[in-house]
Structure formats: structure tokens, C-alpha cells
Amino acid sequence: MKNTGSEDSIQILVAKISHAYCGLLFHQMADAGIHPGQVPIIKLLYEEENLSQKEIAARLHVKPPTVNVSIRRLEQAGMVSRSTDTQDQRVTRIHLTEKGRELEDRIRRTLQESEKILLSGFSDTELCLAKRFLEQMLENLRSVPGNDWPFDKV
């Protein structure tokens, strides 16, 4: 495709889909009192409690200051708490509160509903092909020399 700036280019369509899907998630997650960007942190803490902010940042492949802002907001919302590591007083551990734990099922259902909306109207064959195409696009981006973006965790 030569004209990558046209309204019907794949690049523009992917950007529009991403923007619209993020908007949908933002609206749905706002009802639960969280920002969609906080969902990966909460999901990670469902799987493994007692992580440090540095460990969370490393596992999600984001910068520690980004995690710090999200943790602070989640703490203010009563969804996580902090405690000092028993072995190393310099390390702060992050824990889900009861309120944070109660969101697990709601977040899971919301993500399933959002995906159902996104993918409605497609046959199983079309979904298989779409997934294959998207995986190939991701692989193409992974192959760019000098590119160290953690595509596996996006």
C-alpha cells in the first residue's frame, strides 16, 4: 500500500481502532473507579502479591515513575496498600486491598465484554486470519534492527 496517509490505510485504521477501543475501556473502567492503564498492575497483583514497584515496572515493561503514579492513585482509591519489605527496608511491597481484590471478576468481565464488542460480526475463520495478520505485523516490528521495545508484553 503506497499511500500510508490516506484515510483507508491500514496504519490509520489501526490507530482509529486503538483509539476507539481505549475510549471504550476508559468508559467501562471508569465505572469501576480505575483507569484502564492501571488494569495491568491490578492483574499482575492478582497473579502475584507482594511485588515491589521496580518488579512491577520490569514485568510490565514500563518505567518506574509510571508505575509510581499508578500505584499512588490506586492507593488513594483504596485498591492497593504498601508495606516495607521485611528483608530490605529500602524496598516497598505492593498489595491488593480487599477492595482491589473485589475488582478482579469485574475487570475480567469488562475485558471480555469489550473484546466481544470489538470482534462481533466476524466468523471464526475471519478471527483466525485477523489474529494471524496482527501477529505478523507484530513480528515485522520485532525484526526492526536496534528495536528493543518489549513487544511481547504489549
Side-chain angles (χ1 to χ4, degrees):
M1 185 172 273
K2 301 247 186 233
N3 187 357
T4 59
S6 70
E7 282 296 309
D8 62 345
S9 75
I10 300 259
Q11 198 172 8
I12 297 295
L13 290 172
V14 168
K16 285 180 178 181
I17 291 166
S18 179
H19 184 75
Y21 190 68
C22 287
L24 175 65
L25 285 177
F26 184 85
H27 175 71
Q28 291 175 322
M29 292 296 171
D31 290 343
I34 58 173
H35 186 280
Q38 297 167 335
V39 171
I41 293 172
I42 294 171
K43 286 179 70 178
L44 183 60
L45 290 171
Y46 291 148
E47 296 166 8
E48 189 175 351
E49 277 276 342
N50 214 25
L51 295 172
S52 71
Q53 288 181 203
K54 186 176 181 180
E55 290 168 333
I56 292 170
R59 293 194 186 163
L60 296 179
H61 300 279
V62 296
K63 295 181 179 180
T66 303
V67 170
N68 187 37
V69 169
S70 291
I71 295 294
R72 188 172 57 245
R73 289 180 180 161
L74 287 167
E75 189 176 30
Q76 289 169 348
M79 294 181 205
V80 300
S81 63
R82 302 175 199 236
S83 66
T84 304
D85 187 284
T86 56
Q87 306 293 322
D88 186 345
Q89 301 292 309
R90 299 169 296 173
V91 176
T92 300
R93 298 285 172 187
I94 310 301
H95 317 273
L96 285 171
T97 62
E98 191 59 37
K99 184 177 178 182
R101 285 232 164 262
E102 290 170 359
L103 285 176
E104 182 175 10
D105 191 48
R106 184 169 182 182
I107 289 171
R108 186 182 43 74
R109 280 193 325 266
T110 299
L111 292 174
Q112 287 172 343
E113 290 167 11
S114 298
E115 185 171 271
K116 186 177 178 181
I117 290 167
L118 179 70
L119 302 175
S120 67
F122 288 97
S123 69
D124 288 344
T125 302
E126 290 168 329
L127 290 173
C128 185
L129 280 171
K131 185 175 180 185
R132 169 67 187 101
F133 295 153
L134 293 169
E135 287 171 346
Q136 182 63 52
M137 289 177 201
L138 196 54
E139 186 57 38
N140 293 344
L141 293 171
R142 283 187 189 115
S143 70
V144 174
N147 195 344
D148 62 355
W149 180 258
F151 291 105
D152 292 327
K153 298 295 181 181
V154 175

